[in-house]
Amino acid sequence: MSTAVLENTNQELNDLIDSKFREFKEGSIVHGTIIEIRPQVILVDIGYKSEGTIAVSEFEDEEIEVGDEVEVLLEKLENDEGMVVLSKEKAAYKQNWDKIVKVYEDGGLVRGKVKAVVKGGLTVNVGVEAFLPGSQVDIIPPKDLSEYVGNVYEFKIVKVNDERKNIVLSRREVIEAERAELRQRFLQTVKVGDRVTGAIKNITDFGAFVDLQGMDGLLHVTDMSWGRINHPSEMLIIGQSVDVIILDVDREKERVSLGLKQMTENPWEDIERKFAIGTNVKGKITKLLPYGAFVEIEKGVEGLVHVSELSWVKRITRPSDVLELDQEIEAVVLGISIEEQKISLGVRQLEPNPWDEIETRYPIGATIKGPVRNLTAYGAFVELEEGIDGMVHVSDMSWTRKINHPSEVLKKGDEVEAIVISIDKANQRVSLGCKQLEDDPWSLIDDRFKVGDLVKGTVAKIASFGAFVSLDGDIDGLIHISQLSEDHVEKVKDVIKVGDEIEARVIKVDKVERRIGLSIKAVSYSEEDLKKESASFESLKPSSEMVGLEQAFNLATAAAEEWSPTDEADDEK
């Protein structure tokens, strides 16, 4: 063969080899055949002029033999030793990455296995490593992310960064999409009255949300029990499975109302037949409040014993003073309101009302004895028997004395004798009187005191308008300031003092008004002068001079210028 022909043939062969080798580009994926397995590397023929090497570690957990075909990434055509550098793992990563990008662009889902917990979330193997933020793990943020490690799930790809080779996943969006589809299917098929099963998803003060396979239904606290409950947590716990009934469906707003108590018969429907008014019932105390005690007399049915219905006579301030939670008690049905689902109960009705026969035990006019239990501004309460008091009004304590406060003559604990004056069973009141134990001295006053009589007494009280003198028989007379002396008197205390023994003449006796007018200056008067003075005394106006005994006492109490021995002592200083 000529030299020219040989050179031409060699050139064509070189061009053919060069064109073949130009197909091999670094970074591309090529097919190869395993030709030798060494301790550290695997030799692979990719059809290039030299073999390629792959680290044995890339075939970990795989059984390989000479002759097996593999897809590899051409990392470098020649290394320092003239060998082709290949990678099986990087080939798989590149292939998977391309698939992930395609799925992301198409809006599809990928399946992957959770590898580990990292800061802020989880790492997931979806062919390549991806990140699942904690907020995207589930609809309800999990408390422990480690529960998900090792599990396989489907994910939506929400972000791909090709430069950094970062992928962000969301499992939450997958769940929400599934729930949205289930929700629409549920809303299209469900109807009022259907019975469904769900799980308690969340509990609030006003009710509980129930997961109905993608649809959240509201179970209001008022629809949980026919009885009274204070908080849904008394009946339910999160995660609990419950059977409920559909009460209402709002397809436009995608809302469903549920009922639990409606799964059983309404115990209030024939409540009046089961618990007729006046019948005795037994039950357990479920709650104690300041105003009463709630008693469960049947499952779902509670009655209220008001604090006023606990005893006829005992003064009970709070039900907790005599009752305890979970205590079994007996009561009487007093009233029923089906509309409000309320039953009124009474405990005291189990015993006779002591006020029903009060008049038999304490007839009007009867004399009683008892200790003073309490004092008020208007009288004293005397205990007749346990829980029953009678009241002695200040006006019924003395025929002759004007008593402004019962403490002037009585104190708590004193043994008192009195007469029953009246009884008011409706308001549970017994009126007593102490003065009624004696005859009214004013009924015979005309026989004891006559105008013109000279009397002796002791100054008991001084007021700006005069002085009160205690006379024989515990009767007071009034010496008006004008009757102290023939001379003009500016102040009563300048003439007489409390405790002074005086002699005076009676110039006025009024049996109706219960007053006696006295005069010191008239002691030496003649009968004619006495008539004049009596007439003058009679003409005094009550509004200004206050000659009426009862009115004078009132004025003496309220007067700004009151005189007593203490005042006198102060003046002497």
Side-chain angles (χ1 to χ4, degrees):
M1 183 180 293
S2 65
T3 303
V5 174
L6 182 59
E7 290 178 355
N8 186 48
T9 300
N10 290 337
Q11 183 63 44
E12 289 179 357
L13 181 59
N14 289 334
D15 290 343
L16 180 61
I17 293 172
D18 289 341
S19 65
K20 176 64 177 178
F21 290 162
R22 280 197 296 271
E23 294 177 7
F24 296 96
K25 295 181 180 178
E26 293 182 354
S28 64
I29 295 176
V30 296
H31 289 275
T33 303
I34 296 175
I35 59 175
E36 187 178 347
I37 300 175
R38 295 179 180 177
Q40 300 296 328
V41 295
I42 307 295
L43 296 183
V44 179
D45 179 15
I46 61 171
Y48 193 59
K49 59 185 179 181
S50 58
E51 293 85 3
T53 61
I54 303 175
V56 171
S57 60
E58 294 196 27
F59 290 88
E60 189 176 4
D61 298 330
E62 289 188 38
E63 293 184 2
I64 56 174
E65 296 178 354
V66 173
D68 287 348
E69 292 189 356
V70 292
E71 286 188 325
V72 292
L73 178 73
L74 179 56
E75 289 193 83
K76 201 170 185 181
L77 285 172
E78 288 187 15
N79 61 9
D80 295 339
E81 298 174 356
M83 301 289 290
V84 177
V85 181
L86 305 173
S87 173
K88 177 178 175 292
E89 286 184 348
K90 291 182 179 179
Y93 184 90
K94 186 176 187 306
Q95 288 175 327
N96 289 331
W97 180 267
D98 293 341
K99 290 178 182 178
I100 291 295
V101 173
K102 182 69 168 60
V103 171
Y104 173 66
E105 291 173 349
D106 295 341
L109 304 179
V110 293
R111 192 171 182 83
K113 184 177 182 179
V114 178
K115 292 177 60 179
V117 178
V118 294
K119 183 178 180 180
L122 300 166
T123 56
V124 182
N125 183 3
V126 291
V128 297
E129 188 173 280
F131 176 64
L132 176 63
S135 61
Q136 298 299 314
V137 173
D138 208 333
I139 295 176
I140 301 174
K143 295 180 180 179
D144 185 7
L145 290 175
S146 63
E147 295 178 357
Y148 295 84
V149 175
N151 296 336
V152 177
Y153 305 102
E154 284 194 325
F155 304 93
K156 181 177 177 61
I157 304 170
V158 295
K159 186 176 181 182
V160 173
N161 188 320
D162 199 41
E163 293 181 2
R164 297 184 178 181
K165 301 299 180 185
N166 289 341
I167 296 175
V168 180
L169 307 174
S170 173
R171 178 172 173 264
R172 177 176 179 170
E173 290 191 20
V174 176
I175 296 173
E176 287 178 342
E178 291 174 350
R179 288 175 61 86
E181 184 179 347
L182 291 171
R183 184 164 57 249
Q184 291 303 317
R185 193 182 309 161
F186 181 87
L187 289 170
Q188 290 171 5
T189 57
V190 76
K191 59 184 180 297
V192 173
D194 284 353
R195 297 192 176 193
V196 294
T197 300
I200 303 300
K201 181 178 180 181
N202 192 23
I203 293 176
T204 67
D205 291 338
F206 57 85
F209 288 95
V210 183
D211 184 0
L212 304 170
Q213 296 182 347
M215 180 74 207
D216 286 349
L218 174 61
L219 175 58
H220 198 270
V221 64
T222 57
D223 289 310
M224 291 182 181
S225 172
W226 293 112
R228 178 186 54 83
I229 63 172
N230 298 305
H231 195 273
S233 59
E234 294 178 13
M235 290 186 63
L236 305 170
I237 58 174
I238 293 177
Q240 178 182 345
S241 178
V242 290
D243 293 329
V244 290
I245 194 167
I246 304 294
L247 301 181
D248 185 52
V249 179
D250 188 335
R251 291 180 172 81
E252 183 178 342
K253 295 182 179 180
E254 296 188 352
R255 293 177 182 173
V256 175
S257 297
L258 308 173
L260 182 59
K261 70 181 184 182
Q262 290 80 1
M263 297 289 290
T264 59
E265 291 184 5
N266 184 356
W268 288 89
E269 288 182 354
D270 59 346
I271 201 75
E272 291 177 316
R273 178 187 61 80
K274 291 188 291 185
F275 304 106
I277 293 175
T279 57
N280 291 8
V281 295
K282 291 183 179 180
K284 183 175 68 174
I285 295 175
T286 58
K287 189 161 190 180
L288 292 172
L289 296 171
Y291 57 84
F294 284 95
V295 181
E296 185 179 52
I297 57 178
E298 182 182 280
K299 187 171 179 59
V301 178
E302 289 183 335
L304 173 66
V305 181
H306 194 270
V307 66
S308 62
E309 300 295 346
L310 289 172
S311 174
W312 292 114
V313 294
K314 290 182 180 177
R315 302 170 187 89
I316 300 173
T317 305
R318 298 180 303 273
S320 57
D321 292 339
V322 294
L323 299 173
E324 297 179 355
L325 280 176
D326 297 326
Q327 179 181 346
E328 295 283 343
I329 67 168
E330 189 173 358
V332 176
V333 178
L334 304 180
I336 296 176
S337 173
I338 298 177
E339 295 78 13
E340 297 180 346
Q341 294 192 351
K342 293 180 179 179
I343 296 180
S344 298
L345 303 175
V347 172
R348 66 180 184 177
Q349 287 76 10
L350 294 169
E351 301 175 353
N353 183 355
W355 284 92
D356 289 342
E357 299 179 353
I358 191 75
E359 292 171 331
T360 303
R361 299 196 306 280
Y362 304 102
I364 294 175
T367 301
I368 62 92
K369 287 185 179 180
V372 175
R373 193 182 60 80
N374 194 23
L375 297 176
T376 67
Y378 51 84
F381 286 93
V382 179
E383 186 176 54
L384 303 179
E385 59 185 62
E386 185 181 7
I388 296 182
D389 293 340
M391 200 268 284
V392 182
H393 195 271
V394 287
S395 62
D396 288 312
M397 290 183 177
S398 174
W399 288 113
T400 57
R401 291 187 60 184
K402 172 63 178 178
I403 299 172
N404 297 301
H405 193 279
S407 60
E408 295 175 15
V409 293
L410 295 172
K411 63 180 182 294
K412 192 172 180 180
D414 283 353
E415 189 76 14
V416 171
E417 188 174 12
I419 286 179
V420 178
I421 299 174
S422 65
I423 293 177
D424 183 352
K425 287 200 296 185
N427 294 306
Q428 297 187 350
R429 293 174 182 172
V430 177
S431 295
L432 305 174
C434 291
K435 70 182 184 181
Q436 287 80 1
L437 292 167
E438 303 174 350
D439 293 333
D440 183 0
W442 283 92
S443 62
L444 301 173
I445 200 70
D446 293 337
D447 297 333
R448 299 178 58 194
F449 297 98
K450 293 182 177 61
V451 174
D453 288 351
L454 282 174
V455 295
K456 291 183 179 181
T458 304
V459 177
K461 199 175 210 179
I462 290 178
S464 61
F465 52 81
F468 292 97
V469 179
S470 293
L471 303 175
D472 183 40
D474 200 24
I475 290 179
D476 286 346
L478 171 65
I479 304 176
H480 194 268
I481 190 172
S482 64
Q483 300 299 315
L484 290 171
S485 173
E486 292 288 356
D487 299 327
H488 175 72
V489 177
E490 188 70 30
K491 293 183 178 181
V492 177
K493 63 183 180 180
D494 294 338
V495 179
I496 57 175
K497 301 177 179 60
V498 172
D500 285 355
E501 296 288 335
I502 60 99
E503 184 178 37
R505 189 180 292 277
V506 178
I507 60 175
K508 173 69 175 177
V509 177
D510 190 331
K511 188 175 182 179
V512 178
E513 292 285 339
R514 293 177 177 262
R515 66 190 184 188
I516 294 178
L518 303 175
S519 174
I520 292 178
K521 73 177 184 180
V523 169
S524 58
Y525 277 10
S526 64
E527 187 175 341
E528 185 178 346
D529 290 338
L530 185 61
K531 288 182 180 179
K532 290 180 181 180
E533 193 62 35
S534 180
S536 174
F537 188 73
E538 184 68 28
S539 67
L540 291 174
K541 297 179 180 179
S543 60
S544 60
E545 306 297 346
M546 197 61 73
V547 295
L549 186 58
E550 184 176 353
Q551 294 169 306
F553 265 117
N554 290 338
L555 184 60
T557 302
E561 184 184 353
E562 184 86 26
W563 180 248
S564 70
T566 305
D567 296 326
E568 185 178 65
D570 292 340
D571 288 348
E572 289 176 354
K573 292 178 182 179

